[in-house]
Amino acid sequence: MHLVFFGPPGAGKGTQAQKLISDFKIPQISTGDILRAAVSKGTELGKQAGPLMAAGKLVPDELVIGIVEERLKEPDCKTGFLLDGFPRTIPQAEALDKVLSKMGKKIEHVVSLEVPDQVIHERMKGRGRADDSPETVQKRLDVFREQTSPLKAHYAKVGLLRTINGVGSLDEIYGSIRKQIGA
Ligand code: AMP
C-alpha cells in the first residue's frame, strides 16, 4: 500500500497514520519527524532546517526530496509506505512521481484530512511543541494554504485524492479513511 497523508498541521495526520501503519505493517515516513531528529542531533541538515521550521516556513525542496528519496530505498519500504507531511509543494510531488516510477511504484491514494482553521488552533494549544506557538501555527496554516493546497487539485486531476472529514472521533475518522482507500 502506497499512501500519502495530506492535511494542515494539527489535522491529526500523525495519529491516524499510526493506526494505519500498525494495521497494515508499513513504515511511516514523516519528513517533519526526520527533520526534528536532525535538529536535535545538530547535524548539518538540522542546522539548515531548524530556523525555517521554528519560523513555520518550508525547508527547501532539494533537502526534503533528498531525504525521502534515500528513505524510500530502505528495505522496509518494499511492501509499501505512508508518507506523512510530504509532498508539500508541486515540485516535491513531481520529484516523488519520478523517484517512484524509477522504482516501478506509484502512489495509490492521497488521503486529505480536512479540518477548519479554528479547530486546528484549538488542538494546537494543547500540543506544546517548539514550533507550535500561535504565531508559528498561523504561519504554517498560511504556508499550507499557499504552497501545499494546490497539490489537492494536482492529485484530484489524476484521480488519487480521497477527501476525509477530519472532525469527529478518532475511530470515525479512521473508519472513513479505511473506507475511502478500500481497505
Ligand atoms: P510537520 O511535522 O510535517 O508539520 O513538519 C514540521 C516542519 O518541518 C514544517 O513546518 C516545515 O518547516 C518542515 N517540513 C516538514 N516536511 C516538509 C516538506 N515536505 N517540505 C518542506 N518543509 C517540510
Side-chain angles (χ1 to χ4, degrees):
M1 188 180 302
H2 304 90
L3 305 176
V4 168
F5 256 43
F6 181 82
K13 295 190 297 289
T15 314
Q16 294 296 332
Q18 282 299 323
K19 287 166 89 82
L20 266 180
I21 62 162
S22 86
D23 285 350
F24 293 94
K25 314 267 182 289
I26 50 171
Q28 174 184 8
I29 303 175
S30 158
T31 43
D33 284 352
I34 294 169
L35 291 168
R36 275 184 291 277
V39 171
S40 63
K41 275 194 207 141
T43 64
E44 201 43 51
L45 170 67
K47 282 182 196 145
Q48 289 188 56
L52 294 165
M53 294 168 76
K57 294 180 186 163
L58 292 185
V59 168
D61 286 336
E62 316 82 74
L63 286 185
V64 280
I65 290 167
I67 294 173
V68 171
E69 189 165 8
E70 285 310 305
R71 183 64 187 86
L72 288 172
K73 289 183 191 150
E74 299 286 327
D76 63 338
C77 292
K78 249 192 191 136
T79 54
F81 51 78
L82 185 159
L83 281 165
D84 168 10
F86 180 95
R88 262 179 157 93
T89 64
I90 296 278
Q92 289 178 22
E94 289 169 351
L96 176 64
D97 283 347
K98 240 190 235 162
V99 169
L100 288 178
S101 83
K102 265 193 254 165
M103 302 171 83
K105 294 178 178 171
K106 54 175 190 268
I107 296 297
E108 290 156 280
H109 307 281
V110 175
V111 173
S112 172
L113 277 176
E114 313 266 323
V115 179
D117 280 12
Q118 204 191 333
V119 177
I120 294 196
H121 277 289
E122 284 304 312
R123 287 186 186 175
M124 301 290 260
K125 271 189 204 158
R127 216 160 77 162
R129 233 169 49 189
D131 56 353
D132 283 352
S133 76
E135 298 74 32
T136 310
V137 169
Q138 189 55 55
K139 176 69 188 167
R140 293 166 78 207
L141 288 172
D142 294 344
V143 166
F144 180 81
R145 200 172 297 113
E146 286 158 22
Q147 302 186 53
T148 306
S149 7
L151 280 182
K152 272 170 70 171
H154 171 85
Y155 283 119
K157 213 158 74 184
V158 291
L160 295 180
L161 189 71
R162 322 284 177 243
T163 307
I164 310 281
N165 175 7
V167 184
S169 76
L170 292 182
D171 287 343
E172 273 166 4
I173 300 168
Y174 189 59
S176 26
I177 294 175
R178 300 257 322 227
K179 201 166 144 196
Q180 289 253 25
I181 63 175

